[in-house]
Amino acid sequence: MDAFVFSTEETVLNEAVKNEKWQLLIVDDEEEVHAVTKLALRDVIYQGKEIEFISAYSGVQAKEILAENNNIALVLLDVVMETDDAGLTVARYIREELKNSMVRIVLRTGQPGQAPEREVIINYDINDYKSKTELTAQRLFTTVIASFRSYQDLIAIEHNRAGLESVIESSSNLFSIRSMDTFIDGLLRQITSVFCRGNNPVNLNSLVAEAHGVDKFERSLKVVVAQGDYIGSEGRSVWEVLPPELRKHCSNETQDQKIVYGEGYIFYYRKNTGNRSALVFISGLPVDMCDQDRNLIELFSTNVQIAYDNILLNQELEDTQREIVYRLGHALETRSRETGNHLKRVAELSELLAILYGLPSEQVKLIKFSSPLHDVGKISIRDDVLNYPGKLDQAQWEIMMTHAQQGYDLLYDSPREILQVGARIALTHHERWDGKGYPNGLAGEAIDLFGRIVSLVDVFDALHSRRCYKPAYDLDYCLTHIKENRGKAFEPKLVDLFLDNKERFLKIMKRFPD
Ligand code: C2E
Ligand code: SIN
Ligand code: SIN
Ligand code: FE
Ligand code: FE
């Protein structure tokens, strides 16, 4: 899940939006100024919020307060305090060290217009500059309100920017995800991150339901993922879990898809152009969702839709590839009268042996899906040889051995990875670790690892199966054969892994009997 790392760095800023009061820091070494300022602004309420006054009597004290409080909207800042430029250092400190570009700063001084002050005003985004005599009650009021307003605008812009960044980042993450489970998990986490700000954690309840292959899709929606209050509802019809009146939001028109925002919930239903539909329901959201949040969710969901379609398409492709591989194999098995589940077992046994060998999951998947192709070359073997009911003579055997190369020739120039790997497996599955195999007499690690793995499980399963030329041997015999061929036919490490975990292999044999 590390693809979904979502941002929490903006929480500090967002807290400020939700604060009950405008925080105003008065920095001045004269007690008198504090008193006068508070008196002048005593009854001010702007956008329903009162002012909370915070006092600092020196530059040093102001820095301490600012370092600990990110929610201050405005600083009324005296210039001359413990030093001639104490206020200017505070301004510099706010912008450069705290990197706080939100808080508004109004400088107040007895002697305006000196050179260092101009430089500070230009470089440190000082909003206003007043000589102390200028700051009458009315002017102070105007200045303070204007500062709060621009502070609020800055916060809103920042909030939107942070949200946008998180949406863009998470969308690009979504595109790299290939499985539905991680996709949905990531989606919910992402939505949670859009809403969970500051100290107000949101406990979301969410579910995802899917349906496919029926006329009235919304009727057969089944819960596939559930969180929060809906935990445990997986597999149930969604209308046993959600209020039935939500059903009116479901439209079976593919083009008619939108997010429905209710009191504290989001409802989203989508009928795909294929035979699928999906429903996402999330509740437990803040009731006071703002337009910006909605914009972000809309933007996010557009990207989610594209990513979701990609995943479906990808799944469809994979399913198709797999099915073709099995059908090809089965056609062959029918011709050679090999019965039952040989190919399924080879797929499963190869998968397990590859896992035990320590291969990464992508490789494991590849060998699982490709290994059923190992004998595809037998398709070109004459029937009187392929189905000969006894021991092959030399001429027949020469023909039979060509199936490895023939399988390779059939598949190698495919652009599909599964078929390419299938080609490698077909070519090498009769090579031996000791170099006495065919078609190329390769030895040891010169043999493709996939071929080495399939070789072992193929022989094991062939021994245990009935063939036109031989009966099925019992498991003890087959295990003994594998053991005796350690370092001869098979790579020693593979034999060890196989025998050390034989219970797990035998379980697969039982799961797919002939
Ligand atoms: P297959 O039947 O799928 O067998 C795959 C591999 O399992 C064989 O590769 C061999 O290594 C092993 N195997 C199967 N049965 C036995 C057995 O009774 N004893 C031993 N020691 N190993 C066994 P191999 O030998 O390269 O054969 C490749 C394919 O050639 C076989 O695939 C089968 O289709 C055919 N074949 C092999 N021997 C005969 C035979 O005597 N008569 C006929 N009609 N076909 C044979
Ligand atoms: C299948 O596609 O039939 C199942 C695939 C598998 O389990 O390998
Ligand atoms: C192998 O398939 O590598 C071993 C089979 C054999 O020739 O005994
Ligand atoms: Fe073979
Ligand atoms: Fe086989």
Side-chain angles (χ1 to χ4, degrees), residues 318-319 322-323 326 330 343-344 347-348 351 368-369 372 511-512:
E318 269 193 12
D319 291 351
R322 256 192 286 174
E323 185 169 339
Y326 275 95
H330 281 303
L343 294 182
K344 280 255 158 72
E348 300 275 333
E351 178 188 33
K368 180 181 182 188
F369 297 149
R511 249 174 65 214
F512 299 98

Side-chain angles (χ1 to χ4, degrees), residues 237-487:
S237 162
V238 78
W239 304 116
E240 294 170 17
V241 183
L242 294 185
E245 64 264 25
L246 289 173
R247 215 161 143 165
K248 65 172 184 281
H249 297 312
C250 294
S251 163
N252 274 312
E253 303 302 314
T254 38
Q255 66 276 14
D256 189 15
Q257 296 159 357
K258 60 178 193 298
I259 303 176
V260 177
Y261 300 93
E263 280 280 294
Y265 71 80
I266 290 180
F267 178 95
Y268 177 65
Y269 174 75
R270 165 152 214 250
K271 181 174 172 295
N272 213 258
T273 37
N275 282 335
R276 283 175 194 262
S277 66
L279 182 158
V280 178
F281 184 79
I282 300 167
S283 65
L285 294 170
V287 193
D288 59 346
M289 209 179 350
C290 64
D291 285 349
Q292 282 159 10
D293 289 338
R294 281 169 207 231
N295 288 341
L296 290 174
I297 297 278
E298 295 276 358
L299 180 64
F300 183 57
S301 83
T302 307
N303 290 328
V304 164
Q305 276 175 32
I306 298 167
Y308 182 75
D309 285 350
N310 278 349
I311 288 170
L312 287 185
L313 192 63
N314 192 62
Q315 252 183 9
E316 187 70 21
L317 278 177
E318 269 193 12
D319 291 351
T320 307
Q321 284 185 3
R322 256 192 286 174
E323 185 169 339
I324 288 173
V325 164
Y326 275 95
R327 282 179 187 264
L328 211 65
H330 281 303
L332 181 72
E333 279 189 327
T334 314
R335 225 197 112 216
S336 68
R337 296 181 205 148
E338 286 179 11
T339 48
N341 278 322
H342 174 61
L343 294 182
K344 280 255 158 72
R345 289 191 301 262
V346 167
E348 300 275 333
L349 297 169
S350 301
E351 178 188 33
L352 176 54
L353 194 48
I355 291 171
L356 294 170
Y357 201 84
L359 294 188
S361 61
E362 275 304 305
Q363 301 283 305
V364 168
K365 220 166 136 183
L366 267 179
I367 196 173
K368 180 181 182 188
F369 297 149
S370 308
S371 56
L373 291 167
H374 67 275
D375 267 342
V376 76
K378 281 184 183 170
I379 207 108
S380 4
I381 303 298
R382 288 183 356 222
D383 207 50
D384 60 310
V385 174
L386 184 66
N387 289 316
Y388 184 74
K391 195 167 167 46
L392 303 173
D393 66 23
Q394 189 57 31
Q396 288 172 316
W397 181 238
E398 298 288 340
I399 292 169
M400 178 55 81
M401 283 192 296
T402 65
H403 82 278
Q405 182 71 47
Q406 305 249 32
Y408 177 81
D409 293 347
L410 272 176
L411 302 172
Y412 81 96
D413 58 352
S414 163
R416 300 251 155 262
E417 204 175 14
I418 288 184
L419 299 190
Q420 280 174 20
V421 171
R424 280 160 50 192
I425 292 174
L427 185 63
T428 57
H429 78 285
H430 288 294
E431 299 288 357
R432 295 169 50 103
W433 187 255
D434 61 12
K436 295 179 186 161
Y438 64 90
N440 294 313
L442 300 177
E445 291 182 354
I447 307 165
D448 192 291
L449 175 57
F450 288 167
R452 271 138 61 194
I453 293 174
V454 172
S455 163
L456 189 155
V457 305
D458 179 41
V459 170
F460 178 70
D461 196 70
L463 286 170
H464 190 53
S465 307
R466 189 181 59 78
R467 291 281 195 264
C468 63
Y469 64 97
K470 65 174 267 300
Y473 301 122
D474 63 36
L475 284 170
D476 278 347
Y477 177 92
C478 302
L479 288 169
T480 306
H481 180 87
I482 298 296
K483 196 176 189 170
E484 284 173 350
N485 270 287
R486 186 182 186 280

Side-chain angles (χ1 to χ4, degrees), residues 196-219:
C196 285
R197 296 206 202 91
N199 302 323
N200 304 314
V202 178
N203 290 315
L204 295 185
N205 310 306
S206 55
L207 62 77
V208 177
E210 285 185 328
H212 27 117
V214 284
D215 300 333
K216 272 279 186 184
F217 292 92
E218 91 278 1
R219 258 187 222 160

Side-chain angles (χ1 to χ4, degrees), residues 96-167:
E96 287 202 340
E97 290 189 37
L98 297 179
K99 308 240 181 281
N100 182 343
S101 52
M102 299 290 135
V103 60
R104 302 296 80 204
I105 303 172
V106 171
L107 278 187
R108 297 202 285 186
T109 177
Q111 315 94 20
Q114 289 176 9
E117 292 176 16
R118 284 195 191 166
E119 184 247 336
V120 166
I121 288 163
I122 290 167
N123 291 332
Y124 296 103
D125 183 22
I126 305 296
N127 293 85
D128 215 335
Y129 181 87
K130 305 284 175 193
S131 76
K132 281 191 176 174
T133 50
E134 238 185 316
L135 277 174
T136 61
Q138 182 52 39
R139 280 180 178 253
L140 190 59
F141 174 79
T142 314
T143 300
V144 165
I145 296 302
S147 300
F148 288 162
R149 185 177 294 130
S150 65
Y151 175 75
Q152 193 175 39
D153 289 347
L154 281 176
I155 292 283
I157 290 166
E158 180 57 28
H159 173 174
N160 221 357
R161 185 195 63 78
L164 264 174
E165 271 175 8
S166 125
V167 164

Side-chain angles (χ1 to χ4, degrees), residues 23-27 54-56 62 65-66 72 74-77:
Q23 298 194 27
L24 190 161
L25 175 64
I26 305 167
V27 186
I54 304 166
S55 286
I65 291 170
L66 284 157
I72 293 171
L74 171 62
V75 183
L76 296 176
L77 186 57

